[in-house]
Each structure stands twice: as structure tokens, then as C-alpha cells.
Amino acid sequence: MSFINYASKEINCKIIYYGPGFSGKTTNIQYVYEQTQHDQRGKLITLSTENERTLFFDFLPLSVGDIRGYKTRFHLYTIPGQTFYEISRQFILKGVDGIVFVADSLAERMESNIESFESLAKSLEKQGYDLNRIPLVFQYNKRDMQGAVSVQELETAFNPMRRPYYEAVANRGEGVMETLQSICQSIINDLKGGTSL
């Protein structure tokens, strides 16, 4: 749920990168952070656990436009992928405006992808969100790896609702900014459709 700061004429939106452990969520956020100008981003905060990191930072992109004179600031989060971080995931999902589901393209990771996507649907439902209505973009990462399944197989498994998807090699930055631009635009369109500003 976006937060509107009337004094600074700013709308704050929360984007969560969700997916199985080591699918490339952290790599995405680090790449975006490195590519964002200093005056357009906040501090990158890393909350490390024993096995994975949760990252957070916010930035103010100039290219996505205003909504009735209000600038839009996006807060980007990753969520720990391992199943034993359920409580953390529930907490971080509160107030989400849009989701990037990062799927690992390797065939041996399909089960983890499916488990993670089912977990996302259940977690959103617990918080009162409908997966079919929330802005959602898919990123099929690690497309350069030998043993990557076809995009058609990934689309069949995860995207029957035909949401936007992007092929990516996040560790080289391929598809990262396109994915982010798409989820930002989806959130802005959603806000324009339902905002009371």
C-alpha cells in the first residue's frame, strides 16, 4: 500500500523481489543500486542472515513521471528465498505495491521456483492481497546457463495470466533495468487508476 507524503508531494511505493534462494534477487538490487545516480538513491541496507541477505534501498527515478504533481519514490526489497524465513517474508511483504518474481531458469531449480511461487501466493493471501490483481512482473534469470529450460516452459508454469516477463542474466545486468522499469510502470498505472489525489 503506497504511502503519500503530502508535505513533500511524494508517493512512496514498495517493490519486492521474490523468488527461491540464489535465483538472483540480490544481484538485481545490487545492479540497480550501482546504476542509479547518487542523488537519486538512498543508502543500501543489508540485513545478513546465516545463508542469505535481505537488501533494501530506495531511489527516486526521474524517468517514470509524476502522478498529478507527485514524485514517485520506490523502495526496493529482496526477500530471503529459503523456506525457513517465513516470518521475515510475511513482515517484508506488508504494504507491498508490486512484485518482481525472479525465477531461476535451470531445470534442477524448477521445483524450488514452484515452491517459492506457491509461497508467494499464500503469503499475499494472508495479508489480504490478490496475486491476480497486484502489479507483478516475472524475470527469468540465468538465461545464459547450460540446462536452462525454455521460456515457454517457464511461462506455462508461472504466467497463465500473461503478465510482463523478461529474460535476464542479472550478474551481467541483462534484463535488470527493463524488469525494474516494467514493475515501476505497472505500479504507476495502478496508482493512476485508483488514486484519490
Side-chain angles (χ1 to χ4, degrees), residues 48-94:
S48 292
T49 62
E50 197 173 311
N51 297 313
E52 191 170 278
R53 293 165 296 172
T54 295
L55 295 182
F56 160 77
F57 82 99
D58 66 273
F59 76 114
L60 183 61
L62 303 176
S63 60
V64 295
D66 293 356
I67 300 173
R68 297 185 187 153
Y70 283 69
K71 290 200 182 304
T72 311
R73 180 180 295 272
F74 294 94
H75 302 266
L76 308 185
Y77 292 78
T78 62
I79 281 195
Q82 283 87 353
T83 51
F84 46 86
Y85 291 118
E86 180 63 30
I87 293 167
S88 298
R89 288 203 299 260
Q90 287 296 329
F91 178 74
I92 297 168
L93 271 171
K94 282 186 190 301

Short mmCIF file of all heavy atoms in Angstrom, two decimals, residues 48-94:
data_model
loop_
_atom_site.label_atom_id
_atom_site.label_comp_id
_atom_site.label_asym_id
_atom_site.label_seq_id
_atom_site.Cartn_x
_atom_site.Cartn_y
_atom_site.Cartn_z
N SER A 48 22.01 -9.29 6.86
CA SER A 48 22.55 -10.62 6.55
C SER A 48 22.06 -11.66 7.54
O SER A 48 21.99 -11.41 8.73
CB SER A 48 24.07 -10.59 6.58
OG SER A 48 24.55 -9.81 5.51
N THR A 49 21.72 -12.82 6.99
CA THR A 49 21.40 -13.98 7.81
C THR A 49 22.53 -14.97 7.58
O THR A 49 23.47 -14.68 6.84
CB THR A 49 20.06 -14.59 7.37
OG1 THR A 49 20.19 -15.02 6.02
CG2 THR A 49 18.93 -13.60 7.49
N GLU A 50 22.42 -16.12 8.17
CA GLU A 50 23.49 -17.10 8.02
C GLU A 50 23.67 -17.54 6.57
O GLU A 50 24.77 -17.75 6.11
CB GLU A 50 23.16 -18.32 8.89
CG GLU A 50 24.35 -19.22 9.14
CD GLU A 50 24.02 -20.31 10.13
OE1 GLU A 50 23.47 -20.00 11.20
OE2 GLU A 50 24.31 -21.47 9.81
N ASN A 51 22.55 -17.65 5.84
CA ASN A 51 22.61 -18.22 4.49
C ASN A 51 22.28 -17.25 3.37
O ASN A 51 22.52 -17.53 2.22
CB ASN A 51 21.65 -19.41 4.38
CG ASN A 51 22.05 -20.52 5.31
OD1 ASN A 51 23.21 -20.89 5.36
ND2 ASN A 51 21.10 -21.03 6.07
N GLU A 52 21.66 -16.14 3.66
CA GLU A 52 21.23 -15.25 2.59
C GLU A 52 21.10 -13.83 3.12
O GLU A 52 20.98 -13.61 4.31
CB GLU A 52 19.89 -15.72 2.02
CG GLU A 52 19.56 -14.99 0.73
CD GLU A 52 18.36 -15.61 0.01
OE1 GLU A 52 18.52 -16.60 -0.70
OE2 GLU A 52 17.28 -15.04 0.17
N ARG A 53 21.10 -12.89 2.19
CA ARG A 53 20.98 -11.49 2.57
C ARG A 53 19.63 -10.94 2.14
O ARG A 53 19.10 -11.32 1.11
CB ARG A 53 22.08 -10.67 1.90
CG ARG A 53 23.44 -11.00 2.41
CD ARG A 53 24.50 -10.45 1.52
NE ARG A 53 24.41 -11.12 0.21
CZ ARG A 53 25.09 -10.77 -0.85
NH1 ARG A 53 25.91 -9.76 -0.78
NH2 ARG A 53 24.98 -11.42 -1.97
N THR A 54 19.10 -10.03 2.93
CA THR A 54 17.95 -9.23 2.54
C THR A 54 18.48 -7.83 2.32
O THR A 54 19.19 -7.29 3.16
CB THR A 54 16.88 -9.24 3.64
OG1 THR A 54 16.39 -10.57 3.77
CG2 THR A 54 15.73 -8.31 3.29
N LEU A 55 18.15 -7.25 1.19
CA LEU A 55 18.66 -5.93 0.87
C LEU A 55 17.51 -4.93 0.79
O LEU A 55 16.39 -5.29 0.45
CB LEU A 55 19.35 -5.94 -0.49
CG LEU A 55 20.61 -6.77 -0.64
CD1 LEU A 55 21.16 -6.61 -2.04
CD2 LEU A 55 21.64 -6.37 0.37
N PHE A 56 17.82 -3.69 1.07
CA PHE A 56 16.84 -2.63 0.96
C PHE A 56 17.52 -1.34 0.55
O PHE A 56 18.58 -1.01 1.03
CB PHE A 56 16.15 -2.41 2.31
CG PHE A 56 15.47 -1.07 2.42
CD1 PHE A 56 14.26 -0.84 1.80
CD2 PHE A 56 16.08 -0.04 3.10
CE1 PHE A 56 13.66 0.40 1.88
CE2 PHE A 56 15.48 1.20 3.18
CZ PHE A 56 14.26 1.42 2.57
N PHE A 57 16.90 -0.64 -0.38
CA PHE A 57 17.25 0.76 -0.59
C PHE A 57 16.11 1.42 -1.33
O PHE A 57 15.23 0.78 -1.87
CB PHE A 57 18.58 0.94 -1.34
CG PHE A 57 18.52 0.81 -2.84
CD1 PHE A 57 18.46 1.95 -3.65
CD2 PHE A 57 18.56 -0.43 -3.45
CE1 PHE A 57 18.43 1.84 -5.02
CE2 PHE A 57 18.54 -0.54 -4.83
CZ PHE A 57 18.47 0.59 -5.62
N ASP A 58 16.09 2.74 -1.29
CA ASP A 58 15.06 3.45 -2.03
C ASP A 58 15.74 4.37 -3.03
O ASP A 58 16.89 4.75 -2.88
CB ASP A 58 14.15 4.24 -1.10
CG ASP A 58 14.87 5.38 -0.41
OD1 ASP A 58 15.46 5.14 0.65
OD2 ASP A 58 14.84 6.50 -0.94
N PHE A 59 15.00 4.68 -4.10
CA PHE A 59 15.55 5.59 -5.08
C PHE A 59 14.42 6.37 -5.73
O PHE A 59 13.25 6.01 -5.62
CB PHE A 59 16.39 4.85 -6.12
CG PHE A 59 15.59 4.11 -7.17
CD1 PHE A 59 15.61 4.50 -8.49
CD2 PHE A 59 14.83 3.01 -6.82
CE1 PHE A 59 14.88 3.81 -9.44
CE2 PHE A 59 14.10 2.31 -7.76
CZ PHE A 59 14.13 2.71 -9.08
N LEU A 60 14.78 7.47 -6.34
CA LEU A 60 13.80 8.36 -6.95
C LEU A 60 14.13 8.49 -8.43
O LEU A 60 14.90 9.36 -8.83
CB LEU A 60 13.86 9.73 -6.25
CG LEU A 60 12.87 10.78 -6.70
CD1 LEU A 60 11.44 10.32 -6.46
CD2 LEU A 60 13.12 12.07 -5.94
N PRO A 61 13.59 7.62 -9.25
CA PRO A 61 13.89 7.72 -10.68
C PRO A 61 13.14 8.89 -11.30
O PRO A 61 11.98 9.12 -10.98
CB PRO A 61 13.39 6.38 -11.23
CG PRO A 61 12.33 5.96 -10.28
CD PRO A 61 12.68 6.54 -8.94
N LEU A 62 13.80 9.62 -12.17
CA LEU A 62 13.18 10.79 -12.76
C LEU A 62 12.35 10.44 -13.99
O LEU A 62 11.50 11.19 -14.40
CB LEU A 62 14.25 11.82 -13.13
CG LEU A 62 15.13 12.28 -11.96
CD1 LEU A 62 16.21 13.21 -12.46
CD2 LEU A 62 14.29 12.95 -10.89
N SER A 63 12.62 9.29 -14.59
CA SER A 63 12.02 8.97 -15.88
C SER A 63 10.61 8.39 -15.80
O SER A 63 9.95 8.28 -16.81
CB SER A 63 12.92 7.99 -16.63
OG SER A 63 13.07 6.81 -15.87
N VAL A 64 10.16 7.98 -14.63
CA VAL A 64 8.85 7.34 -14.57
C VAL A 64 7.70 8.32 -14.48
O VAL A 64 6.55 7.94 -14.64
CB VAL A 64 8.76 6.31 -13.41
CG1 VAL A 64 9.71 5.16 -13.63
CG2 VAL A 64 9.00 6.97 -12.07
N GLY A 65 8.00 9.58 -14.21
CA GLY A 65 6.97 10.61 -14.27
C GLY A 65 6.25 10.84 -12.95
O GLY A 65 6.38 10.08 -12.00
N ASP A 66 5.51 11.91 -12.95
CA ASP A 66 4.74 12.30 -11.78
C ASP A 66 3.32 11.77 -11.90
O ASP A 66 2.84 11.47 -12.99
CB ASP A 66 4.67 13.83 -11.67
CG ASP A 66 6.03 14.46 -11.38
OD1 ASP A 66 6.99 13.70 -11.18
OD2 ASP A 66 6.10 15.68 -11.36
N ILE A 67 2.67 11.70 -10.76
CA ILE A 67 1.25 11.38 -10.73
C ILE A 67 0.57 12.61 -10.15
O ILE A 67 0.68 12.89 -8.96
CB ILE A 67 0.95 10.14 -9.86
CG1 ILE A 67 1.70 8.93 -10.41
CG2 ILE A 67 -0.54 9.88 -9.78
CD1 ILE A 67 1.63 7.71 -9.54
N ARG A 68 -0.05 13.38 -11.00
CA ARG A 68 -0.74 14.61 -10.59
C ARG A 68 0.13 15.51 -9.73
O ARG A 68 -0.27 15.98 -8.68
CB ARG A 68 -2.05 14.26 -9.89
CG ARG A 68 -3.00 13.53 -10.82
CD ARG A 68 -4.32 13.28 -10.20
NE ARG A 68 -5.09 12.44 -11.12
CZ ARG A 68 -6.04 11.63 -10.76
NH1 ARG A 68 -6.39 11.54 -9.51
NH2 ARG A 68 -6.70 10.92 -11.64
N GLY A 69 1.39 15.68 -10.18
CA GLY A 69 2.31 16.58 -9.49
C GLY A 69 3.09 15.94 -8.36
O GLY A 69 3.91 16.61 -7.73
N TYR A 70 2.86 14.70 -8.08
CA TYR A 70 3.58 13.99 -7.02
C TYR A 70 4.69 13.15 -7.63
O TYR A 70 4.46 12.41 -8.58
CB TYR A 70 2.64 13.08 -6.23
CG TYR A 70 1.75 13.81 -5.26
CD1 TYR A 70 0.73 14.64 -5.69
CD2 TYR A 70 1.93 13.66 -3.88
CE1 TYR A 70 -0.09 15.32 -4.79
CE2 TYR A 70 1.12 14.32 -2.97
CZ TYR A 70 0.12 15.16 -3.43
OH TYR A 70 -0.68 15.82 -2.54
N LYS A 71 5.90 13.26 -7.07
CA LYS A 71 7.01 12.40 -7.49
C LYS A 71 6.80 11.02 -6.89
O LYS A 71 6.22 10.88 -5.83
CB LYS A 71 8.34 12.98 -7.03
CG LYS A 71 8.73 14.24 -7.76
CD LYS A 71 10.21 14.48 -7.63
CE LYS A 71 10.65 15.75 -8.31
NZ LYS A 71 10.31 15.86 -9.70
N THR A 72 7.32 10.02 -7.57
CA THR A 72 7.18 8.65 -7.08
C THR A 72 8.53 8.12 -6.64
O THR A 72 9.47 8.10 -7.43
CB THR A 72 6.58 7.75 -8.18
OG1 THR A 72 5.43 8.38 -8.73
CG2 THR A 72 6.18 6.41 -7.62
N ARG A 73 8.62 7.72 -5.40
CA ARG A 73 9.85 7.13 -4.85
C ARG A 73 9.58 5.64 -4.64
O ARG A 73 8.58 5.26 -4.07
CB ARG A 73 10.23 7.79 -3.53
CG ARG A 73 11.49 7.20 -2.92
CD ARG A 73 11.86 7.88 -1.59
NE ARG A 73 12.20 9.28 -1.78
CZ ARG A 73 13.42 9.73 -2.06
NH1 ARG A 73 14.42 8.88 -2.21
NH2 ARG A 73 13.65 11.01 -2.19
N PHE A 74 10.51 4.83 -5.10
CA PHE A 74 10.35 3.38 -4.97
C PHE A 74 11.33 2.84 -3.94
O PHE A 74 12.50 3.19 -3.95
CB PHE A 74 10.58 2.69 -6.32
CG PHE A 74 9.53 3.02 -7.33
CD1 PHE A 74 9.73 4.04 -8.23
CD2 PHE A 74 8.34 2.32 -7.36
CE1 PHE A 74 8.75 4.36 -9.16
CE2 PHE A 74 7.36 2.64 -8.28
CZ PHE A 74 7.57 3.66 -9.18
N HIS A 75 10.84 1.98 -3.09
CA HIS A 75 11.67 1.28 -2.10
C HIS A 75 11.78 -0.16 -2.57
O HIS A 75 10.77 -0.85 -2.74
CB HIS A 75 11.01 1.34 -0.71
CG HIS A 75 10.78 2.74 -0.24
ND1 HIS A 75 11.69 3.41 0.56
CD2 HIS A 75 9.77 3.61 -0.48
CE1 HIS A 75 11.22 4.62 0.81
NE2 HIS A 75 10.07 4.77 0.19
N LEU A 76 13.00 -0.60 -2.81
CA LEU A 76 13.23 -1.95 -3.33
C LEU A 76 13.71 -2.87 -2.22
O LEU A 76 14.61 -2.51 -1.47
CB LEU A 76 14.28 -1.93 -4.45
CG LEU A 76 14.07 -0.96 -5.60
CD1 LEU A 76 15.15 -1.18 -6.65
CD2 LEU A 76 12.70 -1.13 -6.21
N TYR A 77 13.12 -4.03 -2.15
CA TYR A 77 13.49 -5.03 -1.14
C TYR A 77 13.72 -6.36 -1.83
O TYR A 77 13.07 -6.69 -2.81
CB TYR A 77 12.34 -5.27 -0.15
CG TYR A 77 12.02 -4.13 0.77
CD1 TYR A 77 11.28 -3.03 0.33
CD2 TYR A 77 12.43 -4.16 2.09
CE1 TYR A 77 10.97 -1.99 1.19
CE2 TYR A 77 12.11 -3.12 2.96
CZ TYR A 77 11.38 -2.04 2.51
OH TYR A 77 11.08 -1.03 3.35
N THR A 78 14.60 -7.16 -1.25
CA THR A 78 14.66 -8.58 -1.58
C THR A 78 14.08 -9.31 -0.38
O THR A 78 14.08 -8.80 0.74
CB THR A 78 16.10 -9.09 -1.82
OG1 THR A 78 16.85 -8.92 -0.62
CG2 THR A 78 16.74 -8.36 -2.97
N ILE A 79 13.62 -10.51 -0.64
CA ILE A 79 13.08 -11.34 0.43
C ILE A 79 13.89 -12.62 0.48
O ILE A 79 14.18 -13.20 -0.56
CB ILE A 79 11.58 -11.64 0.18
CG1 ILE A 79 10.76 -10.44 0.60
CG2 ILE A 79 11.14 -12.89 0.91
CD1 ILE A 79 9.30 -10.68 0.75
N PRO A 80 14.26 -13.08 1.67
CA PRO A 80 15.01 -14.34 1.76
C PRO A 80 14.24 -15.47 1.08
O PRO A 80 13.03 -15.61 1.29
CB PRO A 80 15.13 -14.60 3.27
CG PRO A 80 14.84 -13.30 3.93
CD PRO A 80 13.96 -12.54 3.00
N GLY A 81 14.93 -16.23 0.27
CA GLY A 81 14.28 -17.26 -0.51
C GLY A 81 14.03 -18.56 0.23
O GLY A 81 13.09 -19.28 -0.06
N GLN A 82 14.86 -18.88 1.22
CA GLN A 82 14.70 -20.17 1.87
C GLN A 82 13.41 -20.24 2.68
O GLN A 82 12.99 -19.25 3.28
CB GLN A 82 15.90 -20.46 2.80
CG GLN A 82 17.13 -20.89 2.06
CD GLN A 82 17.97 -19.72 1.59
OE1 GLN A 82 17.58 -18.57 1.71
NE2 GLN A 82 19.12 -20.00 1.05
N THR A 83 12.82 -21.42 2.71
CA THR A 83 11.51 -21.59 3.34
C THR A 83 11.53 -21.30 4.84
O THR A 83 10.50 -20.94 5.39
CB THR A 83 10.98 -23.03 3.11
OG1 THR A 83 12.01 -23.94 3.51
CG2 THR A 83 10.63 -23.26 1.68
N PHE A 84 12.68 -21.43 5.51
CA PHE A 84 12.68 -21.21 6.96
C PHE A 84 12.68 -19.73 7.33
O PHE A 84 12.74 -19.39 8.49
CB PHE A 84 13.84 -21.97 7.65
CG PHE A 84 15.18 -21.84 6.99
CD1 PHE A 84 16.02 -20.77 7.27
CD2 PHE A 84 15.60 -22.80 6.08
CE1 PHE A 84 17.26 -20.67 6.66
CE2 PHE A 84 16.85 -22.70 5.48
CZ PHE A 84 17.68 -21.64 5.77
N TYR A 85 12.57 -18.83 6.34
CA TYR A 85 12.46 -17.41 6.64
C TYR A 85 11.03 -16.90 6.47
O TYR A 85 10.79 -15.75 6.14
CB TYR A 85 13.40 -16.60 5.74
CG TYR A 85 14.85 -16.82 6.07
CD1 TYR A 85 15.72 -17.36 5.14
CD2 TYR A 85 15.35 -16.49 7.32
CE1 TYR A 85 17.05 -17.57 5.44
CE2 TYR A 85 16.69 -16.70 7.62
CZ TYR A 85 17.53 -17.24 6.68
OH TYR A 85 18.85 -17.45 6.99
N GLU A 86 10.06 -17.75 6.73
CA GLU A 86 8.65 -17.41 6.54
C GLU A 86 8.24 -16.15 7.29
O GLU A 86 7.56 -15.29 6.76
CB GLU A 86 7.77 -18.61 6.97
CG GLU A 86 6.29 -18.38 6.82
CD GLU A 86 5.85 -18.17 5.38
OE1 GLU A 86 6.48 -18.72 4.46
OE2 GLU A 86 4.86 -17.43 5.18
N ILE A 87 8.66 -16.01 8.54
CA ILE A 87 8.26 -14.84 9.35
C ILE A 87 8.83 -13.56 8.74
O ILE A 87 8.13 -12.55 8.63
CB ILE A 87 8.68 -15.02 10.82
CG1 ILE A 87 7.86 -16.16 11.43
CG2 ILE A 87 8.48 -13.74 11.62
CD1 ILE A 87 8.36 -16.66 12.76
N SER A 88 10.10 -13.61 8.33
CA SER A 88 10.71 -12.43 7.68
C SER A 88 9.94 -12.06 6.42
O SER A 88 9.68 -10.88 6.17
CB SER A 88 12.15 -12.73 7.27
OG SER A 88 12.94 -13.00 8.37
N ARG A 89 9.58 -13.05 5.63
CA ARG A 89 8.86 -12.78 4.38
C ARG A 89 7.52 -12.11 4.65
O ARG A 89 7.16 -11.16 3.97
CB ARG A 89 8.68 -14.07 3.59
CG ARG A 89 9.96 -14.56 2.98
CD ARG A 89 9.72 -15.47 1.80
NE ARG A 89 8.97 -16.64 2.16
CZ ARG A 89 9.51 -17.84 2.37
NH1 ARG A 89 10.81 -18.00 2.29
NH2 ARG A 89 8.76 -18.86 2.66
N GLN A 90 6.80 -12.61 5.65
CA GLN A 90 5.50 -12.02 5.98
C GLN A 90 5.67 -10.55 6.37
O GLN A 90 4.90 -9.70 5.95
CB GLN A 90 4.83 -12.80 7.13
CG GLN A 90 4.30 -14.15 6.75
CD GLN A 90 3.18 -14.07 5.73
OE1 GLN A 90 2.40 -13.12 5.69
NE2 GLN A 90 3.11 -15.06 4.87
N PHE A 91 6.68 -10.28 7.16
CA PHE A 91 6.92 -8.91 7.63
C PHE A 91 7.27 -7.99 6.46
O PHE A 91 6.73 -6.89 6.34
CB PHE A 91 8.04 -8.91 8.67
CG PHE A 91 8.38 -7.54 9.18
CD1 PHE A 91 7.54 -6.88 10.05
CD2 PHE A 91 9.53 -6.91 8.75
CE1 PHE A 91 7.84 -5.60 10.50
CE2 PHE A 91 9.85 -5.63 9.20
CZ PHE A 91 9.00 -4.99 10.07
N ILE A 92 8.17 -8.43 5.60
CA ILE A 92 8.62 -7.59 4.49
C ILE A 92 7.50 -7.37 3.46
O ILE A 92 7.41 -6.31 2.85
CB ILE A 92 9.88 -8.18 3.83
CG1 ILE A 92 11.04 -8.21 4.85
CG2 ILE A 92 10.31 -7.38 2.61
CD1 ILE A 92 12.24 -9.03 4.43
N LEU A 93 6.61 -8.35 3.30
CA LEU A 93 5.52 -8.21 2.32
C LEU A 93 4.46 -7.19 2.71
O LEU A 93 3.70 -6.74 1.86
CB LEU A 93 4.84 -9.57 2.10
CG LEU A 93 5.42 -10.45 1.01
CD1 LEU A 93 4.79 -11.84 1.05
CD2 LEU A 93 5.27 -9.84 -0.36
N LYS A 94 4.41 -6.82 3.99
CA LYS A 94 3.40 -5.84 4.42
C LYS A 94 3.53 -4.55 3.61
O LYS A 94 4.61 -4.01 3.48
CB LYS A 94 3.56 -5.51 5.90
CG LYS A 94 3.01 -6.55 6.84
CD LYS A 94 3.10 -6.06 8.27
CE LYS A 94 2.79 -7.13 9.28
NZ LYS A 94 1.49 -7.73 9.17
#
